[in-house]
Amino acid sequence: MKAFVYENPMTMPLREVPLPEVGECDVRIAVKAVGICGSDVHGFRGTTGRRKPPIIMGHEFSGVVDAVGEKVTRWKKGDRVLANPLMTCGICENCRKGFPNVCSNRHGLGVDLDGAYAEYVKVREDMVFALPDSLTFEEGAMVEPLGVAMHAVNRTPLLLCESLVIIGAGTIGLLTLLSVRLKGAGKIIMIDTDDDRLAFAKKLGADEIVNSKTTDPLEFVKSATNGRGADGVIEAVGISPTAALSLQIAANGAHVTWIGNSQPMVEINMQQIVTRELTVSGSYGFISEFETAIEAIRSGRIKPMVLVEQVAKLDDVGRLIEDLSAGKINPVKVMIKLD
Ligand SMILES: [Zn+2]
Ligand SMILES: [Zn+2]
C-alpha cells in the first residue's frame, strides 16, 4: 500500500509498504478521509520529539473496515467506521480510575503506532466506533479534533454567560469556540496573530477578536470584562508568551486550561497563580468526548466542515505538510480524501 513514512525531521517520502497485518483482535480500515493536524506539522519538523521515526503519521480519520481478526465480533468488512487514535491498556490505575487519556501505557496512532497517511491503517477492536450513516467520511475525520476541543471545554468550569478567552485560532481553538458556545458561554474573546483566522473566528461566533501583534491583549481583555479579566481562559497554542498571557488575562480565582502542546518548557509567573488563586489545568486528548463529538456532529449542533478550507488527495500529503511547515499555505484545516 501507499503510505507517507516520516523517516527523519523534514523527510517524509511516499513509500510502498506492506499492508498492515491483522492480529486476532485487530481491525484493518481502508482510509477514506484523514485530516492534517498541526501536531503532525510540528512532528514533521522534529521539534516536539514525540514522534519517533520511522512512523506513518495521521490520527484524524475515518474509513471502511477492510479485514478483521479472528476474535473480532463487533465489526465486519464494509462497516463505515472511525477510530479513537489512543490505544490504552485498560488495566493501569489511570485507566481504572476513568482517565484512559492519561493511561500509563498509552500509545498513539500516528505518534508511536502507524497512522492514517496511508491507504490502510490497523487498530485494536476497542478503538473502533461506528460512523453514523448521516455523517460523511470527512465529518468523521473531524471527530477527533472536536473531541480534543470538547475535552478542554469540559475541563474549564464556566457558569452560564461567564466570559471566556480563547488564545489561538487554529483548528482546536476554533472548535473550542464552537463547543463553548454550546456550553452557554457569555462574551467570547478570541486572540491570535493572524487577521484572517480572527475574521473566521468572528464568523463562527466570537464576540470580540484581538490581534495581539497590533493590540495589547491584556488591556483589551481587561476593558472588555470591566477590568476583572476573563472568567475562563483556554490556551490553544502552547508556547511561552501565550502561556504567560493566559494567566495575565484571567480574573482572580479563574480557571485556565492549557491545551496547546508545542513547546515543552515555558516561562510563567508563578506568583500570579498563587496570589490570585488561579487554577491551571492541562487538557490532553479526550475521554467520553470522542462519542460526544460524534453525536454533536450527527445532531447538527456542531458543523465542523466549515473549518475545512482545502481538500486534497493522499499523494499530496507530503507536499502539503512541507508547505504548511514552511508557512507557504495557511488553511484552517486540510482534509485528505481517498477514493
Ligand atoms: Zn490532531
Ligand atoms: Zn492504562
Side-chain angles (χ1 to χ4, degrees):
M1 67 166 186
K2 286 196 287 187
F4 281 90
V5 183
Y6 171 60
E7 295 179 342
N8 273 303
M10 309 300 281
T11 310
M12 197 174 78
L14 182 62
R15 298 273 188 222
E16 189 62 36
V17 301
L19 209 57
E21 265 177 50
V22 180
E24 53 185 19
C25 297
D26 292 335
V27 174
R28 187 167 65 214
I29 300 168
V31 179
K32 293 293 178 190
V34 53
I36 294 185
C37 176
S39 70
D40 293 332
V41 179
H42 294 302
F44 171 71
R45 285 200 290 263
T47 47
T48 53
R50 292 174 60 224
R51 287 160 176 73
K52 301 272 183 269
I55 188 85
I56 302 169
M57 296 199 267
H59 56 271
E60 307 172 354
F61 69 98
S62 66
V64 174
V65 173
D66 171 63
V68 299
E70 294 143 36
K71 288 197 177 158
V72 171
T73 54
R74 290 170 54 219
W75 309 104
K76 58 179 192 313
K77 191 175 164 81
D79 286 345
R80 300 170 83 248
V81 294
L82 65 168
N84 175 345
L86 270 191
M87 188 166 90
T88 57
C89 76
I91 53 171
C92 75
E93 201 155 335
N94 298 309
C95 281
R96 286 190 306 189
K97 279 188 165 171
F99 307 108
N101 58 326
V102 290
C103 164
S104 308
N105 308 305
R106 70 181 182 231
H107 297 280
L109 218 66
V111 178
D112 61 353
L113 299 170
D114 280 336
Y117 294 148
E119 290 176 291
Y120 296 89
V121 61
K122 173 185 82 173
V123 299
R124 214 173 51 193
E125 175 178 20
D126 62 290
M127 297 156 75
V128 180
F129 290 78
L131 179 67
D133 290 339
S134 60
L135 261 66
T136 63
F137 288 115
E138 295 88 280
E139 284 173 318
M142 291 299 289
V143 165
E144 199 272 348
L146 179 58
V148 169
M150 287 183 147
H151 187 58
V153 171
N154 278 341
R155 299 273 290 153
T156 312
L158 204 66
L159 297 178
L160 277 174
C161 293
E162 282 191 329
S163 60
L164 182 93
V165 178
I166 301 165
I167 305 175
T171 298
I172 297 296
L174 292 168
L175 289 171
T176 299
L177 167 63
L178 296 177
S179 303
V180 88
R181 289 185 61 200
L182 275 187
K183 194 171 177 167
K187 188 179 276 182
I188 305 173
I189 303 170
M190 178 70 90
I191 301 176
D192 199 274
T193 53
D194 181 323
D195 282 327
D196 293 341
R197 290 298 178 90
L198 288 167
F200 202 87
K202 185 106 200 193
K203 239 177 36 193
L204 295 185
D207 298 286
E208 313 265 6
I209 52 177
V210 192
N211 187 327
S212 55
K213 266 190 186 159
T214 51
T215 304
D216 180 346
L218 177 58
E219 263 172 41
F220 187 97
V221 171
K222 286 267 161 152
S223 71
T225 54
N226 293 327
R228 234 173 64 75
D231 297 309
V233 180
I234 296 182
E235 199 281 350
V237 181
I239 56 174
S240 252
T242 49
L245 179 65
S246 71
L247 305 179
Q248 291 168 348
I249 59 179
N252 291 1
H255 197 110
V256 179
T257 302
W258 287 354
I259 188 173
N261 184 12
S262 317
Q263 197 181 311
M265 299 295 286
V266 297
E267 198 170 301
I268 51 156
N269 182 340
M270 184 181 170
Q271 265 184 352
Q272 294 232 348
I273 301 174
V274 176
T275 61
R276 302 205 291 111
E277 288 210 338
L278 302 180
T279 304
V280 180
S281 308
S283 180
Y284 184 76
F286 37 75
I287 305 175
S288 58
E289 291 88 354
F290 195 80
E291 283 158 290
T292 311
I294 296 174
E295 176 55 19
I297 299 173
R298 192 204 59 76
S299 62
R301 282 183 170 66
I302 287 191
K303 300 188 190 319
M305 294 310 289
V306 295
L307 301 192
V308 177
E309 292 192 312
Q310 195 168 343
V311 179
K313 291 186 169 22
L314 180 64
D315 288 11
D316 301 326
V317 167
R319 182 182 51 78
L320 286 164
I321 289 192
E322 273 176 34
D323 288 354
L324 286 162
S325 171
K328 281 192 204 157
I329 54 169
N330 187 30
V332 175
K333 192 67 176 173
V334 181
M335 184 62 65
I336 304 301
K337 255 180 103 165
L338 290 86
D339 301 325

